[in-house]
Amino acid sequence: MQKYILLLILISISHLALTQTEKMEIEGAIIVSSNDAPNPAAGTIRWTGQDFEGFDGSQWKSLTGDSQLKNNVLDYIPDHLHASIADGTNTTDLSSYIQSALDAECSTYFPEGSYHLTSTLYPKRNATLTGAGKHATRLEAIGVSALHLGDGVGSAQRSISLHHMNVKGDTYPAIRIFQSPDFVIQNCHIQQGVHISLAVRGIISECRLGSSGAGTRAVLADDYVNGLKVTNNVVSGGSGGGAINLKGPNTNAQVAGNIIESSKFGIFVSSDPITASSAAGSSRSVRVSDNYIEQSEVPIFVGGIFKFNGVVKNNVIGNAQTSVVPNRYSTIKMGRIYNCEIVNNQILNATNEIPFELVVNAAEAIDGNTISGKYIQNRQGVNLAITGAYATNNSLLAALGSRNYIDVDMQKSISNALYPEHMSSIEPREYISPIFTANEGTAISKWLDSTKILYGGRLISAELIDVTGDLTGCTLQIGSTVNLNELVNNNIALDTIALDRGQGVLPAGSFIRRTDDSVYTVNAGTGSGTFRFRLRFKIT
């Protein structure tokens, strides 16, 4: 028994006639000891060694700042289990006790210790679960998910938040979120993943997130998770799993400021391989930025199965070869992307790792993107590999070269004066031919060298210009060394083209081959007039 007890102090001054307006002043400390009496008086105060508690006539309750949460989970758990919870040796199933606490109040506090679970916990609407720290309070589930946010019926169980705790499961996922919008997971350590479905405006931040095993993801989000923010976390998917996978569909999601370590798959957006699943789809206005990623087979993959629109920028990918995740393929992988910015990423790739890969598996144009690779540590012979079922489709490659700004080969870009033609096209280019006479044919001549085309191109327009005199019988062929009639064929007599002040539009094809030189020839007619032709085109 310590020498100063609050009860004795009160007795010693009981002779003083204190009124409600008077106060007691004490210089120095009051030391309160433990009280193990079976039936203490209501209002008794004690120090348990870990917390100040007061007896309300039926049970002891915390008097510290933690009591502001009103609901201490230990108040629902038998006293004889408290010591084993605190020292981490508890093996008794606490699921029903904790569920009672969650059902009773919206705010529940979990003091430091280990809480053994064999049934999933279901917090109520607007619940806040707070622990003593993400390494201090541990929910450990055996054979089940530890927590399920949402009841799966509409969106009734919304605005649930978890703070300062470690949630661990031996079954994937440790936390299941289904139809529970506006959730928050902050300053937690989640072991064995979070799976989110039909839950908009969620936040996962300042956490340590992990998973392990094939097919698992530290964060897996599918089926409408609009506005999801996964920010400022430390994430690991392990050698068989993945870090962050937004399967889609989703709009305005953010994956930013995370550190991703040792994950077979890094950040995937609309790139899940389960194409038949309804719980996947396109992503719009998604931001993947300011992340650091290391030790991953594929650090970033966007639009691999479904369409992706957004930005992939300011990421640092330090992907040197390691034994933890030994394979390396491509650093930033892209698929069905449109109107995207994939820029300002620092690629510290492995020596045999392709910096960019574009997977063309859909018969649709890849349009409106800016893809830049100025910061590549280990440049390859090919810095943008084009793969997939349509990788050799000339029409799609023409669109790729003419509808996107691509600059991943600095040695062949506008920044290198030795190869000025290798710049990516933003503004159309123009070719104007020499002057021809209608009754004089020409040899097949080159107007665009295929070595100046990295990815493809498209003809915008073909025109006759500066026409004078009679062009009767003269024809013009413009195409490639493979097909001379690809762009303008010899069935079109030049004297049939409608002219306005010496100019007229030539019916023409569109795509420009990237593997063959572009050529033309003039076939002589009987007229003696003169002309030139002008081609406007875009290539990359």
Side-chain angles (χ1 to χ4, degrees), residues 69 71-73 98 102 108-113 115 121 129-133 137 139 164-165:
L69 297 171
N71 202 33
N72 189 320
V73 74
I98 298 174
L102 299 179
T108 303
Y109 175 66
F110 291 73
E112 181 175 353
Y115 299 83
L121 301 175
L129 282 63
T130 305
T137 297
L139 304 185
H164 307 293
M165 59 175 57

Side-chain angles (χ1 to χ4, degrees), residues 10-18:
L10 294 176
I11 292 173
S12 68
I13 61 174
S14 61
H15 66 281
L16 297 176
L18 299 176

Side-chain angles (χ1 to χ4, degrees), residues 411-492:
Q411 69 273 25
K412 296 180 179 180
S413 73
I414 189 61
S415 62
N416 190 330
L418 296 176
Y419 300 96
E421 294 92 343
H422 281 289
M423 65 179 288
S424 291
S425 290
I426 297 244
E427 297 298 324
R429 307 178 193 206
E430 189 174 85
Y431 172 82
I432 298 178
S433 74
I435 297 174
F436 303 110
T437 302
N439 58 7
E440 296 178 4
T442 69
I444 295 175
S445 304
K446 185 191 306 184
W447 65 271
L448 180 61
D449 192 325
S450 64
T451 61
K452 293 181 171 64
I453 306 175
L454 293 177
Y455 305 110
R458 184 172 296 274
L459 183 68
I460 299 171
S461 64
E463 302 170 287
L464 285 180
I465 62 172
D466 302 331
V467 176
T468 62
D470 179 17
L471 304 184
T472 300
C474 183
T475 63
L476 175 64
Q477 293 173 273
I478 304 175
S480 69
T481 52
V482 173
N483 182 351
L484 191 53
N485 292 314
E486 258 174 347
L487 297 176
V488 176
N489 67 62
N490 61 357
N491 292 326
I492 301 171

Side-chain angles (χ1 to χ4, degrees), residues 401-402 404-406 423-429 537-540:
S402 62
N404 304 274
Y405 178 83
I406 303 173
M423 65 179 288
S424 291
S425 290
I426 297 244
E427 297 298 324
R429 307 178 193 206
F537 61 97
K538 293 178 72 175
I539 62 169
T540 298

Side-chain angles (χ1 to χ4, degrees), residues 343-361:
V343 299
N344 295 333
N345 299 289
Q346 295 191 43
I347 298 176
L348 311 177
N349 52 324
T351 54
N352 62 340
E353 184 179 17
I354 297 171
F356 293 91
E357 180 181 354
L358 182 62
V359 183
V360 188
N361 276 330

Side-chain angles (χ1 to χ4, degrees), residues 123-195:
K124 65 196 300 183
R125 181 188 178 104
N126 299 325
T128 298
L129 282 63
T130 305
K134 60 184 173 183
H135 302 300
T137 297
R138 300 176 299 280
L139 304 185
E140 300 179 347
I142 306 298
V144 295
S145 296
L147 289 162
H148 186 114
L149 279 55
D151 58 5
V153 180
S155 298
Q157 306 301 78
R158 64 173 63 233
S159 302
I160 299 172
S161 61
L162 311 177
H163 303 272
H164 307 293
M165 59 175 57
N166 182 318
V167 182
K168 179 180 180 181
D170 65 355
T171 300
Y172 180 82
I175 300 177
R176 181 71 169 102
I177 303 172
F178 184 68
Q179 290 190 339
S180 182
D182 303 305
F183 70 86
V184 175
I185 301 175
Q186 197 166 39
N187 286 306
C188 291
H189 184 182
I190 311 300
Q191 298 175 261
Q192 204 57 357
V194 181
H195 184 184

